[in-house]
């Protein structure tokens, strides 16, 4: 019975997708879809808040619903709710049906939640596929849009290939260790290491390739700018937040549980990936003129920062990763939300030219954009700074000097990319002024909440830190 | 309680100015001026009433603390002593001068302009008052944002590049400062089990030689960029000529670098700061000469002043690292007087620019005939900047040279040469701009009574400091003497070298 109770959030989200499917056949209404989705998210969140702090509950072989998993599920649900609101306004603006989108969104969120609590390779893979496949549909939602279709195709091919790598890696590890459960793997890893060395290492390395793809870490990041640019804005927001968040959380749990941090070769591999991501992401962001691509490259760099925390190991590191994840989610949603609110109807607001002189025309939205960009830069009193600070603390604790100096140097390198955008906002007003459509009411409500959240995380992150500490 | 009021007063005033501007045009500048005057008076009042209560540290005259992030050992901790008080007063004065110099400028969005100005003032006050290292860092970096906004929106034509360059320099060096701060905190934690960013707690941490030097290096980079010192000075000249509030810049922000060195770099890392002293003095000497030589070659008088500031900052750097009380007091006097004299000159040039729209020494000349008021005041400020005895700068320079001579004779000689070079470029500037044939200046309004009185007051202050510097020296002196762990006031090189081995 306990198992059923702990599964309630997952059941709610799964049921939501069914209800959405049914409602689509009865009445085609965007508001109804949003209403169902919002109801589902809120009730799942309430269910999660209710059981916060209770002992971990194993459900079958595949799921372990512990406190950390619950916190991650809460983050995922909040982000999905916000994306749902964004999508509602966006689709209304384009005059498209919304039901299918929400169905895909709910299934994908379910996948993310499964990933957050899995403790078994199959659970991992199931969750991953549940998360990814609907995103193909969401990215290609506007079938008249060439760019969307192209983005979806690229994503399908590359995600499929990386899933194959992941699966092969899992198979190799299973072949050597004889189990797919994380905790049993932890037990068998130590003695097995000496004898089955090469196969295990290959298995882990292949898994890392698959995971790095999803996290858009260099050098497996090539899909990121194109998919970010081609997909519709709410989908990009979803990819940037929930998709990455779920995978990072799972990666953290897997590595920590299995104790793979001990393996030298893997740490070196991950360090290399982190450094290349940080420098590559920041450097490539410098030359972008499209804001969506800029955010894509910046997300590569930020995932690199998270890896720095990850590699530091220990409870401090886990807290750092989770806190950075929360600040990154808030900042990304804020930035994408502003872009959605500036939607021009026939085309998206995405190039830097579109943003020229925004501060004069739309000061509030421009200020939110500035807040988000400064948070990405890491100016103190912004959410991003607190996250980065936590990473620095974790890194110094573990004496990861090379990684830390790379973090500092790459941050400095990438500054200009964001500063450039802020500068453009303040320049003289362009003739083609951007007008926010008045019907994007809910998006703006969400933006206000996100801004408050960002300010809270920047000025007074204590409550959130306490929440995360309690969960680890 | 008073400290937090002192800190937030300008910010509150700025918000008020911004809001009021919509209702009453041209009210923003009055509100700003009043706020800053109130702040100035309040700071004097706070100083007078600085009693010590039993549960506060002995060091600070006034203190205020509140919990902020207890899990990370971070508090909102403010403290005031002699050194900070003097600089707080300077900050308010420079803020007033900034408001005064833009009084008659036509500004669109004036409310936001004054809000940014007062925001910068708050930021600098935060830097001066913060004695929790994390809080210090936050203010150090957070001050950039309003400066960036100010320069982007109201600067002159080539401002984009200047601002971006400044931003990148400061942010990058700030990250190194953060790294060093956190390492220091960790070292302290390893020794005492106490995770804290509190200045007083961290003061006594004993750190092994090379690690201490590395941590100090992080602090030094950040402070040298802000000071600025050669070779990190690159951001300054463009910002001087393109930024709209150059007096503010020179007066306030530049001093934060020197303050950082005095407050943090020296006391927290006594042995390492002695060890790096020769290198720092070399950098200082290079700054002095490099700045002076380049100042001579400029055709934009504001850039002349930028390089002149670099030159003076070199002298300050030498003074700081001499580890001598006289020199340190001289450094503070020099900071104040240099801010006033250079600030005054920049205000005059801004005034001229209002009419002429492009100040170029090749195109301007003989202005004394047209605007004698400007000329006389410029002459006085230039005399001050050159180090004429009787005016404040001389006191500062004299004390620094006197104090440094015991520590490093070569540096002192090179710094002294800076005085000569300073005279060369300053007089050359004066000659080109105000004497000789009248050219390129059709119609420049002379200073009105208000401006004359303000600048006159500045000259009077410089004279007063020049003739009677004792009050300032007395206020600042305890900062060097009281704390037992402060830098050692030895003049003998042998004493210093044995401490370096400890």
């Amino acid at each position: 019975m306990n198992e059923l109770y702990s599964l309630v959030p997952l059941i709610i989200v799964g049921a939501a997708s069914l209800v959405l499917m049914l409602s689509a056949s009865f009445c085609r209404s965007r508001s109804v879809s949003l209403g169902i989705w919002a109801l589902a998210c809120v009730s799942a969140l309430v269910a999660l808040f209710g059981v916060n702090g209770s002992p971990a509950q194993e459900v079958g072989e595949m799921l372990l619903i512990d406190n950390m998993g619950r916190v991650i599920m809460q983050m995922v649900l909040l982000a999905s709710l916000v994306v749902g609101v964004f999508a509602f306004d966006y689709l209304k603006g384009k005059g498209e049906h919304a039901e299918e989108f929400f169905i895909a969104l709910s299934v994908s969120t379910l996948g993310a939640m499964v990933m957050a609590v899995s403790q078994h390779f199959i659970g991992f893979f199931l969750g991953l596929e549940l998360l990814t496949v609907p995103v193909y549909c969401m990215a290609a939602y506007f079938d008249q849009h060439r760019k969307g279709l192209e983005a979806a195709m690229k994503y399908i091919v590359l995600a499929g290939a990386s899933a194959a790598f992941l699966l092969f890696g899992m198979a190799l590890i299973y072949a050597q260790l004889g189990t797919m459960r994380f905790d049993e793997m932890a037990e068998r890893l130590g003695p097995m290491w000496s004898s089955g060395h090469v196969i295990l290492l290959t298995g882990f390395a292949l898994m890392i390739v698959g995971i790095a793809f999803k996290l858009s870490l260099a050098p497996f990041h090539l899909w990121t700018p194109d998919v970010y640019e081609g997909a519709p804005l709410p989908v990009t927001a979803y990819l940037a937040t929930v998709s990455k968040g779920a995978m990072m959380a799972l990666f953290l749990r897997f590595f920590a549980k299995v104790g793979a941090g001990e393996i030298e070769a893997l740490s070196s591999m991950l360090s290399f990936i982190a450094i290349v991501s940080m420098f590559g992401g920041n450097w490539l962001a410098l030359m972008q003129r499209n804001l969506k691509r800029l955010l894509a490259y910046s997300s590569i760099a930020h995932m690199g920062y998270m890896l720095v925390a990850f590699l530091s190991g220990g409870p401090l590191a886990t807290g750092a990763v989770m806190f950075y994840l929360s600040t990154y989610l808030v900042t990304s949603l804020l930035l994408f939300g502003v872009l959605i609110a500036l939607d021009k109807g026939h085309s998206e607001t995405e190039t830097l030219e579109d943003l020229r002189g925004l501060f004069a025309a739309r000061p509030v939205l421009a200020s939110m954009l500035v807040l988000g960009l400064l948070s990405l830069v890491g100016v103190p009193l912004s959410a991003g700074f607190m996250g980065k600070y936590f990473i620095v603390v974790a890194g110094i604790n573990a004496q990861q000097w090379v990684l830390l100096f790379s973090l500092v140097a790459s941050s400095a390198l990438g500054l200009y990319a964001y500063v450039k955008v802020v500068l453009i906002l303040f320049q003289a007003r362009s003739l083609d002024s951007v007008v926010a459509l008045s019907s994007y009411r809910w998006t703006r409500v969400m933006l206000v909440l996100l801004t408050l959240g960002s300010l809270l995380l920047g000025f007074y992150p204590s409550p959130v830190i306490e929440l995360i500490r309690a969960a680890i | 309680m008073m400290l937090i009021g002192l800190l937030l007063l300008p910010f509150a005033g700025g918000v008020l100015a911004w809001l009021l501007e919509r209702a009453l045009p041209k009210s923003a500048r009055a509100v700003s001026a009043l706020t800053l005057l109130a702040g100035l008076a309040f700071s004097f009042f706070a100083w007078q009433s600085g009693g010590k209560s039993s549960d506060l540290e002995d060091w600070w005259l006034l203190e205020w603390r509140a919990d902020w992030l207890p899990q990370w050992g971070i508090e909102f901790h403010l403290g005031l002593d002699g050194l900070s008080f003097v600089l707080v007063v300077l900050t308010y004065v420079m803020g007033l001068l900034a408001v005064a110099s833009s009084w008659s400028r036509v500004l669109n969005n004036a409310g936001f302009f004054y809000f940014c100005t007062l925001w910068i003032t708050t930021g600098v006050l935060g830097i001066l008052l913060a004695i929790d290292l994390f809080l210090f860092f936050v203010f150090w970096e957070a001050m950039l944002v309003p400066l960036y906004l100010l320069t982007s929106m109201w600067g002159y034509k080539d401002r984009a590049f200047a601002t971006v360059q400044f931003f990148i320099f400061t942010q990058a060096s700030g990250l190194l400062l953060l790294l060093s701060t956190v390492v220091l905190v960790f070292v302290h934690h390893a020794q005492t089990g106490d995770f804290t960013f509190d200045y007083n707690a961290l003061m006594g941490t004993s750190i092994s030689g090379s690690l201490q030097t590395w941590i100090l290096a992080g602090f030094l980079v950040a402070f040298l960029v802000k000071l600025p010192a050669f070779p990190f000075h690159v951001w300054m000249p463009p910002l001087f000529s393109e930024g709209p509030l150059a007096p503010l810049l020179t007066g306030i922000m530049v001093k934060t670098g020197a303050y950082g060195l005095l407050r943090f770099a020296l006391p927290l890392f006594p042995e390492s700061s002695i060890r790096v002293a020769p290198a720092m003095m070399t950098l200082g000497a290079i700054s002095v000469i490099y700045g002076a030589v380049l100042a001579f070659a400029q055709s934009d008088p504001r850039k002349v002043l930028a390089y002149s500031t670099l030159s003076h900052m070199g002298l300050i750097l030498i003074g700081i690292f001499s580890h001598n009380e006289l020199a340190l007091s001289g450094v503070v006097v020099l900071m104040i007087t240099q801010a006033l004299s250079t600030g005054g000159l920049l205000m005059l040039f801004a005034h001229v620019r209002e009419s002429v729209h492009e100040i170029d020494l090749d195109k301007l000349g003989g202005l004394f005939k047209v605007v004698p008021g400007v000329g006389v005041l410029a002459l006085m400020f230039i005399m001050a900047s050159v180090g004429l005895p009787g005016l404040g700068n001389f006191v500062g320079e004299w004390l620094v040279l006197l104090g440094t001579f015991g520590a490093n004779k070569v540096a002192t000689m090179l710094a002294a040469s800076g005085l000569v070079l300073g005279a060369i470029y300053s007089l050359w500037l004066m000659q080109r701009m105000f004497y000789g044939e009248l050219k390129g200046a059709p119609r420049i309004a002379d200073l009105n009574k208000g401006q004359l009185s303000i600048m006159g007051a500045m000259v009077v202050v410089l004279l007063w400091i020049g003739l009677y510097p004792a009050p300032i020296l007395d206020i600042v002196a305890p900062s060097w003497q009281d704390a037992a762990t402060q830098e050692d006031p030895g003049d003998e090189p042998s004493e210093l070298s044995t401490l370096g081995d400890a």
Side-chain angles (χ1 to χ4, degrees):
Chain A
M1 214 46 206
N2 269 334
E3 297 186 353
L4 198 58
Y5 284 145
S6 36
L7 274 182
V8 161
L10 292 155
I11 295 175
I12 292 179
V13 176
S17 58
L18 288 173
V19 172
L20 281 165
M21 269 191 254
L22 286 174
S23 82
S25 44
F26 283 116
C27 77
R28 281 278 204 179
S29 161
R30 284 182 220 107
S31 315
V32 169
S33 309
L34 180 65
I36 296 173
W37 180 236
L39 188 63
C41 281
V42 170
S43 39
L45 278 167
V46 166
L48 281 169
F49 280 138
V51 299
N52 246 347
S54 46
Q57 176 70 42
E58 190 175 290
V59 178
E61 285 274 319
M62 291 199 230
L63 305 179
L64 175 67
I65 305 185
D66 59 355
N67 280 320
M68 184 168 149
R70 292 194 192 106
V71 169
I72 298 167
M73 282 203 279
Q74 284 164 13
M75 284 200 246
V76 162
L77 279 167
L78 282 169
S80 297
L81 178 58
V82 175
V83 170
V85 172
F86 287 165
F88 169 73
D89 274 334
Y90 189 81
L91 291 167
K92 196 153 118 181
K94 306 275 185 208
E96 278 280 339
H97 292 301
E99 296 74 27
E100 292 86 348
F101 191 94
F102 277 99
I103 295 170
L105 184 63
S106 55
V107 173
S108 191
T109 309
L110 180 63
M113 289 168 77
V114 167
M115 280 175 80
V117 292
S118 74
Q119 60 157 4
H120 193 278
F121 272 155
I122 300 293
F124 179 170
F125 198 73
L126 269 178
L128 180 65
E129 291 300 299
L130 263 181
L131 171 67
T132 321
V133 174
V135 177
Y136 307 152
C137 308
M138 291 198 277
Y141 205 68
F142 298 95
D143 41 333
Q144 289 85 24
H145 265 190
R146 277 255 178 89
K147 275 167 65 173
L149 285 174
E150 182 189 333
M153 282 301 298
K154 278 186 183 153
Y155 195 48
I156 290 176
V157 170
L158 290 172
S162 79
F165 272 87
L166 192 64
L167 215 45
F168 192 15
M170 285 181 183
L172 284 175
I173 297 177
Y174 177 58
Q176 199 58 40
L177 292 176
T179 174
M180 292 209 219
R181 286 176 58 122
F182 295 172
D183 42 10
E184 285 175 13
M185 270 192 258
E187 288 164 25
R188 300 185 195 183
L189 192 62
M192 265 295 163
W193 185 242
S194 38
S195 51
H197 189 130
V198 176
I199 298 185
L200 270 177
L201 198 55
T202 320
F204 276 114
L206 287 171
M207 276 194 72
I208 288 179
V209 168
I211 294 173
F213 165 84
K214 198 86 183 104
L215 289 175
S216 64
L217 288 165
F220 311 105
H221 65 284
L222 298 165
W223 62 275
T224 321
D226 293 329
V227 175
Y228 268 50
E229 189 189 355
L233 272 166
V235 180
T236 315
Y238 185 76
L239 270 176
T241 53
V242 176
S243 176
K244 296 222 164 85
M247 182 50 113
M248 182 51 103
L250 179 57
F251 190 34
L252 196 61
R253 285 163 69 89
F254 173 60
F255 247 62
K257 265 238 161 65
V258 173
E262 315 291 314
I263 304 175
E264 272 294 313
L266 288 182
S267 300
S268 318
M269 184 178 171
L270 285 171
S271 303
F272 173 73
I273 289 178
I275 295 177
V276 177
S277 302
M278 288 192 281
F279 278 109
N282 276 314
W283 183 46
L284 290 167
L286 286 174
M287 300 181 267
Q288 297 307 316
R289 299 213 64 86
N290 179 313
L291 196 61
K292 285 168 91 177
R293 288 181 83 90
L294 186 92
L295 289 173
Y297 284 112
S298 119
S299 76
I300 298 174
H302 284 275
M303 288 299 133
Y305 300 151
M306 267 200 246
L307 262 194
V308 171
F310 187 86
L311 286 164
S312 305
L316 207 57
T318 316
V321 172
M322 292 195 33
F323 185 70
Y324 198 79
L325 201 57
S326 63
T327 60
Y328 181 67
L329 289 187
V330 171
T331 308
S332 299
L333 287 172
L334 183 64
L335 283 167
F336 284 113
V338 171
L339 288 179
I340 290 175
L342 293 171
D343 191 33
K344 285 187 280 203
H346 53 90
S347 65
E348 287 179 349
T349 302
E350 44 181 345
T351 62
L352 294 184
E353 272 310 306
D354 294 331
L355 294 173
R356 190 180 292 274
L358 189 65
F359 190 76
R362 300 246 145 240
V364 178
L365 283 173
S367 312
M368 289 179 180
L369 199 58
V370 169
L371 184 66
L373 287 167
L374 290 181
S375 182
L376 286 180
V377 168
V379 171
L381 293 182
S382 67
F385 168 71
M386 283 298 173
K388 233 180 221 160
Y389 171 73
F390 215 159
I391 293 180
V392 166
V393 170
I396 290 180
N397 196 29
Q399 305 191 343
Q400 297 272 10
W401 302 120
V402 177
L403 287 173
L404 281 172
F405 278 110
S406 307
L407 189 143
V408 169
S410 57
S411 296
L413 184 65
L415 275 175
Y416 180 61
Y418 305 112
V419 165
K420 187 172 59 171
V421 181
V422 176
L423 199 61
I424 285 188
L425 289 174
F426 288 100
Q427 279 175 359
R429 207 165 153 175
S430 62
L431 294 168
D432 176 23
S433 54
V434 178
V435 179
L437 298 175
S438 57
S439 54
Y440 282 30
R441 213 178 334 126
W442 287 110
T443 305
R444 287 188 279 184
V445 169
M446 279 296 146
L447 281 176
V448 170
L449 289 174
L450 284 168
T451 311
L452 288 172
S454 179
L455 289 171
L456 179 73
L457 282 171
F459 278 82
Y460 194 62
S462 291
V464 179
I465 298 174
E466 276 313 307
L467 209 71
I468 293 177
R469 279 227 178 148
I472 303 176
Chain B
M1 201 56 217
M2 289 199 238
L3 286 183
I4 190 78
L6 200 62
L7 178 64
L8 292 178
L9 185 61
F11 193 75
V15 172
L16 191 63
W18 191 13
L19 293 173
L20 268 183
E21 185 70 9
R22 291 164 194 266
L24 307 160
K26 293 210 184 291
S27 63
R29 57 188 187 181
V31 173
S32 319
L34 280 172
T35 313
L36 289 169
L37 276 170
L40 190 59
F42 190 38
S43 56
F44 275 101
F45 172 68
W47 175 256
Q48 289 297 93
S49 69
K52 302 184 189 182
S53 46
S54 51
D55 56 355
L56 294 177
E57 305 283 340
D58 278 333
W59 178 240
W60 306 102
L61 251 63
L62 279 177
E63 216 173 323
W64 189 83
R65 62 203 311 169
D67 271 340
W68 185 15
L69 298 173
Q71 316 94 333
W72 287 349
I74 298 171
E75 301 177 293
F76 203 97
H77 193 182
L78 305 174
L80 184 77
D81 75 341
L83 174 63
S84 4
F85 172 65
V86 166
L87 292 176
V88 162
V89 169
L90 180 66
T91 306
Y92 269 115
V93 168
M94 296 313 291
L96 276 168
L97 289 179
V99 170
S101 77
S102 44
W103 194 265
S104 48
R105 263 184 82 182
V106 175
L107 295 163
N108 50 341
N109 232 330
F112 194 59
F113 178 84
Y114 286 106
F115 172 64
C116 284
T117 311
L118 288 175
W119 185 358
I120 296 179
T121 316
T122 308
V124 176
L125 286 174
I127 291 179
L128 294 173
L129 292 173
I131 50 177
D132 177 290
L133 281 166
F134 188 82
L135 187 64
F136 173 77
F137 177 74
V138 167
F139 276 114
W140 182 264
E141 296 276 292
M143 191 181 38
L144 294 179
V145 175
L147 188 76
Y148 186 71
L149 289 174
L150 210 56
T151 321
S152 307
M153 290 176 78
W154 293 280
Y156 306 123
K157 63 180 162 54
D158 288 320
R159 60 188 182 272
F161 176 66
T163 327
V164 170
Q165 193 179 39
F166 171 65
F167 197 81
I168 293 180
F169 263 88
T170 328
Q171 269 294 101
S173 62
L175 278 170
L176 285 174
L177 176 63
L178 180 66
L179 263 185
S180 289
T181 310
V182 180
V183 172
L184 176 64
V185 170
F186 266 94
V187 169
H188 180 81
H189 172 70
Q191 284 177 4
T192 62
D194 193 17
F195 205 84
T196 174
F197 277 82
D198 184 42
Y199 176 69
N200 292 105
L202 290 170
M203 185 93 95
T205 324
S206 68
I207 320 172
S208 74
S210 62
L211 180 61
Q212 196 181 111
T213 312
W214 276 108
I215 304 178
L216 177 62
F219 276 78
L220 281 179
V221 169
F223 296 140
L224 289 178
V225 164
K226 260 298 179 45
L227 193 62
F230 182 90
F232 302 113
H233 66 283
V234 185
W235 59 270
M236 200 174 55
L239 208 58
F240 261 53
S241 52
E242 307 301 337
L245 282 184
L248 195 71
L249 275 181
T250 173
I252 306 183
M253 294 198 39
V254 173
K255 303 304 171 293
T256 55
Y259 172 77
L261 285 171
L262 286 170
R263 174 71 75 211
F264 296 104
L266 293 189
L268 288 173
F269 312 106
E271 294 91 19
S272 285
S273 56
I274 293 174
R275 202 174 298 131
V276 301
M280 289 297 118
M281 294 221 225
T282 313
L283 273 184
I286 297 178
S287 299
V288 167
I289 299 180
Y290 184 78
V293 170
L294 255 74
F296 183 72
Q298 298 302 314
S299 61
D300 180 345
R302 289 165 305 183
K303 288 212 173 126
V304 172
L305 291 176
Y307 285 106
S308 147
T309 308
L310 175 63
S311 193
H312 283 115
M313 289 300 127
L315 189 61
I316 286 181
L317 186 60
I318 292 178
I320 291 176
F321 277 94
S322 65
H323 297 277
N324 176 293
E325 283 173 38
L326 280 177
L328 290 168
S329 302
V331 160
V332 176
V333 173
L334 201 51
M335 278 202 264
I336 301 173
T337 54
Q338 197 267 342
L340 285 174
S341 59
T342 314
L345 282 169
L346 282 166
M347 283 169 72
L348 290 170
F349 294 156
H351 174 82
V352 170
R353 195 196 173 280
E354 286 293 299
S355 318
V356 179
H357 293 298
E358 193 191 331
I359 308 193
D360 189 324
L361 286 174
D362 296 327
K363 300 196 185 118
L364 282 180
L367 289 183
F368 225 130
K369 300 190 181 70
V370 185
V371 277
V374 174
V376 166
L377 282 165
L379 186 61
M380 293 205 204
F381 286 126
I382 291 239
M383 289 297 112
S385 151
V386 163
L388 195 70
L391 291 164
N393 301 54
F394 172 71
V395 175
E397 285 169 5
W398 170 241
L399 284 173
V400 168
L401 290 174
L402 188 63
T404 318
F405 191 69
N408 188 332
K409 296 181 175 43
V410 176
T412 317
M413 287 194 288
L414 288 171
S417 74
L419 290 181
V420 177
L421 295 171
I424 297 180
Y425 67 73
S426 304
L427 293 174
W428 180 232
L429 169 67
M430 197 66 205
Q431 168 76 18
R432 289 170 81 189
M433 198 159 163
F434 290 97
Y435 295 99
E437 266 193 45
L438 176 62
K439 54 177 174 170
R443 214 182 288 268
I444 306 180
D446 207 349
L447 298 172
N448 62 31
K449 289 212 181 61
Q451 291 166 321
L452 267 175
S453 47
I454 292 176
M455 305 246 196
M458 286 163 73
V459 174
V460 167
V461 170
L462 283 172
L463 265 173
W464 184 56
I465 298 179
L467 297 172
Y468 188 53
I472 298 183
L473 296 174
D474 288 338
I475 292 176
V476 172
S479 305
W480 322 134
Q481 281 170 350
D482 269 357
T485 47
Q486 283 271 11
E487 62 280 348
D488 304 273
D491 304 30
E492 308 294 333
S494 54
E495 242 183 299
L496 297 174
S497 57
T498 49
L499 274 156
D501 300 334

